[in-house]
Amino acid sequence: VKDKKSTPELRVITNDRQKIITMAIESLKPKFKEVVMMCEIYGYTYEEAAFKLKCPVGTIKSRRDENRCHKKR
């Protein structure tokens, strides 16, 4: 029985999805990109990201929300 998790089709889909995500992140302005990288990719909490970036938690949340609006466009 073949492992369905590792089919050539699934690898292509996964690679394509990763490319799309990378391109979307790269298209962001730096201040939004850093929030995505820290919170979505590296798993920082908003509080941790705010501490690292030396800004209020509200700023992190608003940048996150703006990124979500940008993705929908």
Side-chain angles (χ1 to χ4, degrees):
V1 177
K2 273 190 164 181
D3 181 8
K4 292 182 180 180
K5 294 180 183 176
S6 185
T7 65
E9 294 86 4
L10 186 57
R11 284 193 299 271
V12 167
I13 290 169
T14 301
N15 287 340
D16 286 347
R17 184 175 292 149
Q18 287 175 339
K19 288 177 187 174
I20 291 168
I21 291 168
T22 300
M23 288 180 358
I25 292 171
E26 290 298 323
S27 73
L28 297 172
K29 293 179 182 177
K31 67 181 183 178
F32 299 118
K33 181 179 174 180
E34 64 190 2
V35 170
V36 170
M37 294 299 295
M38 293 180 89
C39 296
E40 304 296 333
I41 306 297
Y42 299 125
Y44 284 86
T45 65
Y46 299 135
E47 292 79 11
E48 291 168 331
F51 178 78
K52 292 260 187 193
L53 297 174
K54 297 177 175 65
C55 65
V57 173
T59 300
I60 299 297
K61 290 180 179 181
S62 68
R63 289 178 184 175
R64 176 212 56 203
D65 291 344
E66 180 133 353
N67 280 330
R68 289 185 177 162
C69 290
H70 179 72
K71 283 193 293 188
K72 291 179 183 180
R73 290 181 205 158

